[in-house]
Amino acid sequence: MSVLAKNVAADLANASWVRRMFEAGIQLKAKYGPENVYDFSLGNPDLPAPPTVQQGLRDFAEHAGEPFAFGYMPNGGFPWLREKLAVQLSGEQGVKLGAEDVILTCGAAGGLNAFLRAVLEPGEKVLTFAPYFVEYGFYVSNHGGTLEAVPSKPQDFAPDLAALERAIDEKTRVVLINSPHNPTGAIYSRADLTALAALLENKSQQYGGPIWLVADEPYRFLAYDGAEVPSVLPLYPYAVAVSSLSKNLSLPGERVGYVVLAPQMPEKGELMAALTFTNRILGFVNPPVVGQHIMAAALGSAVEREVYAARRTAMAEVLSEAGYEFFMPRGAFYFFPKAPGGDDVAFVGRLMEERVLAVPGSGFGWPGHFRLAFCVDEKVIRDAAPGFAKAAQAVREGKDEGAKA
């Protein structure tokens, strides 16, 4: 008898390529020195948190010796912070929100799991667009569901709504989207989101129950060239947005996030009660006390977006000069170029020979591409240029020699 559940043993065998490459990077850095390894594997923002975070910590520290400073609070987080967050999100999302529309969670991942636990029956489907963040599959299977990926449009990674319509059936419970998008940097247009909402309205009526639209949007703050990041909340009554402080405040390890419900949702009170319950029974109990005080102090703040914009430009120049084909990201901090030669796993291995760390597109359900996280110093991007060029040239020369033979 195995010590592990069969599904967990299988998941371990197919564990995240992102983490695999990150761990490979640790070994390379130990061997060659961190300055000689160019690590684009993990979306772990390197920019320091804004000054409001530091001030929030100082202010909280003055009260840390008081009784119950670190004690329990309602499972949905401090009520006073939910009110404050609702005001901030009303401006961001373009809808009037109150504390009753918002719940605080242990990061966006905790929020997604709390939501899926609240709405999924065993055997029901969650649809998402490929390429996609691989953890979605694990989150869905945690609660007895099945994740099914629908291809995006390959030119610009926009949602293919015709393909989505073909995939929806009586078992479909949730459509999960991510914009700005990891791993491609695409941003879904208002026209596409409006059409998506209309499609889900029709399909919900057809199957006699709501199909939820969930927007995972930790990169909402990071859009380039004046691009709009439309909200789904005004477009559809069964819309839910999930986010965190991980990227905009460079606090991925603090694990503070939130779920916000469309204010016009018919069964909003019922869902919020369920989210409060699942937030507790999944073992989160409540979001971290310190993180909530940081959130309160830093609402409306963000890291320096201009730094990411400069890095985006640098990465585009490095890839262009080396002859890569890629879609210019409109948001987030990822590039998703085509892998020279077509075999993304083999090519990422070739990049490793140049001490350049990337993640195969196969890890995101989209073979033939690879992901680069440019949340690193611009010097790392520039210094990696020879490695990118050498790896691509080696593959091209190998193909040419094979063709001649």
Side-chain angles (χ1 to χ4, degrees):
M1 179 182 293
S2 172
V3 296
L4 300 179
K6 290 180 181 178
N7 62 334
V8 172
D11 287 344
L12 281 174
N14 299 300
S16 169
W17 267 106
V18 176
R19 284 287 170 177
R20 257 187 268 181
M21 298 308 298
F22 176 67
E23 289 163 6
I26 293 174
Q27 298 176 16
L28 284 176
K29 289 169 189 175
K31 183 175 181 180
Y32 296 105
E35 70 281 4
N36 297 312
V37 177
Y38 314 105
D39 189 351
F40 306 100
S41 63
L42 187 63
N44 190 21
D46 69 317
L47 296 184
T52 50
V53 168
Q54 301 169 42
Q55 188 59 51
L57 281 170
R58 292 191 191 99
D59 292 344
F60 176 67
E62 294 180 4
H63 301 279
E66 298 174 0
F68 306 114
F70 296 92
Y72 290 122
M73 82 288 298
N75 299 125
F78 290 122
W80 58 266
L81 179 54
R82 292 171 69 178
E83 292 179 6
K84 190 172 182 178
L85 180 60
V87 173
Q88 174 70 27
L89 292 177
S90 294
E92 290 182 6
Q93 297 285 341
V95 290
K96 178 65 175 175
L97 297 165
E100 69 278 6
D101 302 315
V102 179
I103 184 171
L104 300 169
T105 60
C106 290
L112 286 169
N113 274 277
F115 174 80
L116 293 169
R117 179 67 179 88
V119 305
L120 274 186
E121 296 284 0
E124 289 185 327
K125 292 197 313 186
V126 175
L127 301 180
T128 196
F129 290 101
Y132 63 93
F133 180 51
V134 69
E135 303 289 286
Y136 289 163
F138 301 132
Y139 299 164
V140 172
S141 68
N142 282 345
H143 311 294
T146 301
L147 184 75
E148 184 175 310
V150 176
S152 301
K153 295 179 179 178
Q155 310 94 312
D156 58 1
F157 302 106
D160 188 335
L161 299 184
L164 179 69
E165 183 171 12
R166 291 191 295 270
I168 294 174
D169 60 21
E170 68 280 357
K171 289 188 176 181
T172 303
R173 184 66 163 159
V174 178
V175 172
L176 173 58
I177 63 172
N178 173 219
S179 174
H181 189 259
N182 174 13
T184 69
I187 294 176
Y188 293 175
S189 70
R190 180 173 295 277
D192 279 338
L193 292 176
T194 301
L196 172 57
L199 170 61
L200 296 184
E201 287 266 21
N202 292 334
K203 289 295 182 179
S204 295
Q205 292 177 13
Q206 179 181 343
Y207 292 115
I211 298 174
W212 297 94
L213 174 58
V214 179
D216 178 27
E217 44 185 43
Y219 302 98
R220 162 172 283 278
F221 79 105
L222 193 53
Y224 306 106
D225 304 325
E228 179 196 20
V229 182
S231 171
V232 299
L233 298 183
L235 303 178
Y236 184 59
Y238 291 97
V240 176
V242 183
S243 194
S244 73
L245 308 185
S246 294
K247 314 303 182 182
N248 66 325
L249 294 181
S250 282
L251 294 173
E254 188 56 29
R255 310 313 305 148
V256 182
Y258 55 85
V259 178
V260 53
L261 311 184
Q264 73 275 29
M265 185 181 295
E267 296 89 356
K268 184 177 62 177
E270 185 178 351
L271 177 59
M272 186 56 73
L275 290 173
T276 305
F277 178 67
T278 57
N279 211 25
R280 185 181 94 223
I281 66 169
L282 288 172
F284 302 126
V285 182
N286 54 251
V289 169
V290 176
Q292 289 185 75
H293 282 276
I294 290 174
M295 175 185 278
L299 280 176
S301 302
V303 296
E304 297 181 42
R305 299 171 181 86
E306 297 79 8
V307 175
Y308 284 128
R311 293 171 175 182
R312 171 179 172 256
T313 298
M315 182 64 81
E317 290 174 356
V318 166
L319 294 174
S320 295
E321 289 168 5
Y324 290 84
E325 295 181 58
F326 62 90
F327 164 80
M328 188 68 168
R330 300 180 65 225
F333 44 57
Y334 305 103
F335 276 76
F336 199 59
K338 290 184 178 180
D343 186 334
D344 55 303
V345 174
F347 184 70
V348 164
R350 183 64 187 81
L351 281 174
M352 281 186 65
E353 294 178 24
E354 306 301 327
R355 302 192 299 279
V356 176
L357 294 168
V359 182
S362 298
F364 302 95
W366 199 270
H369 289 65
F370 62 101
R371 192 192 77 168
L372 300 167
F374 60 89
C375 48
V376 297
D377 193 277
E378 187 174 335
K379 185 178 187 300
V380 176
I381 297 170
R382 300 288 185 185
D383 289 350
F388 278 115
K390 188 175 179 180
Q393 186 63 27
V395 171
R396 293 187 190 108
E397 289 177 353
K399 285 189 70 178
D400 290 344
E401 290 172 5
K404 293 174 183 176

